[in-house]
Amino acid sequence: MPDRVLITGGAGFIGSHLCARFLDEGCEVICIDNLSTGNLANISRFFSDRRFSFVKYNVTQYLHVDGEVDLILHFASPASPTDYLEMPIQTLKVGSLGTHKALGLAKSKKARFLLASTSEIYGDPLVHPQKESYFGNVNPVGLRGVYDEAKRFAEALVMAYHRNHGIHTHIARIFNTYGPFMRMDDGRVLPNFITQALRGEPLTVYGDGTQTRSFCYIDDLVEGLYRLCQSDYAYPVNIGNPEEITIIDLAREIISRTGSRSEIEFRELPAGDPLVRRPDITVATNLLNWIPAVGRQMGLNRTLEYFEQHIDDVTNN
Ligand code: UDP
């Protein structure tokens, strides 16, 4: 069990859940975030805990932390397509320079390191479901290239630090994740559909809605990450829920779950939008004895409850 954990991007959706988990496990948590997409409201409940500290900082700059650090979780990055298309250069910088700085700190502190990588490594996949051994189908000069290539570079850098400096490193390829503390206006499909349904506005389905995604509830993801950073495995591990659904079926499911009178409105499919996505989680299951425990019905209920409570928060952005 690490004593002192540093989480970059700790004020984001996944980062804030990781802060909660490591505080619950009795660790001291240092959260670093420049709040470009993170939000203090996600972590304000930890401020009274003296084991928690927050530093507003951009991790593409030289990182200095006093004292020992046992584990670094590198989660800083815009992660929704809307965000990284609005911040393409920041996305490339945090994935490359930010990962370099975070690894440099891990090396100097002799800390373990976990990289938040992504299913976007696989691009618009030609292999389905996606196994870690698939090298992917990414267009480096496409719009999504800023995120995909930054994360691919980050994976390469992590492996180089592992091989050359002997650091204990981990690479989690995170698939679509959802749950409380997601930013309502982050442009992703679930926050969009849920807020649209709750407001009685049309649900915006991009393309014909036959593209698929597989959605993992946040608690399952956090459990998988927690187990991964206690393993000795340095190669990439898919963490996600293999339950796959088309986007049009997801829209119908949310309309019926919320009892909304919203209709479905079709919009143009964004360039480079992957047609299918579903993790093969054999590696995670064998290595970590992990499988997702929360089905979509329960996960959506918990998420809806959060969104209903926060839909009127003007500050939730
Ligand atoms: N999508 C949609 N309507 C929306 C937002 C997204 O139909 O209002 C689609 C998007 O085109 C993609 C899928 O939902 O096929 C998931 O998009 P998201 O932005 O959540 O993340 P991605 O999985 O593409 O990284």
Side-chain angles (χ1 to χ4, degrees), residues 26 67 73 82 113 145 149 197 219 226-227 233 252 266 271 313:
L73 305 169
T82 313
F113 184 92
E149 295 295 5
D219 291 358
Y226 186 74
R227 292 185 191 199
Y233 194 73
R252 293 188 187 117
F266 292 92
D313 290 5

Side-chain angles (χ1 to χ4, degrees), residues 248-267:
I248 186 87
D249 283 346
L250 181 71
R252 293 188 187 117
E253 194 170 303
I254 291 188
I255 289 173
S256 93
R257 189 71 48 88
T258 52
S260 170
R261 287 198 307 235
S262 291
E263 310 215 314
I264 288 175
E265 197 171 276
F266 292 92
R267 301 266 177 91

Side-chain angles (χ1 to χ4, degrees), residues 3 42 48 62 128 212 232 239 270 303 308:
D3 287 334
N42 292 347
S48 57
Y62 181 79
H128 191 66
T212 68
D232 280 326
I239 310 274
T303 309
E308 276 162 355

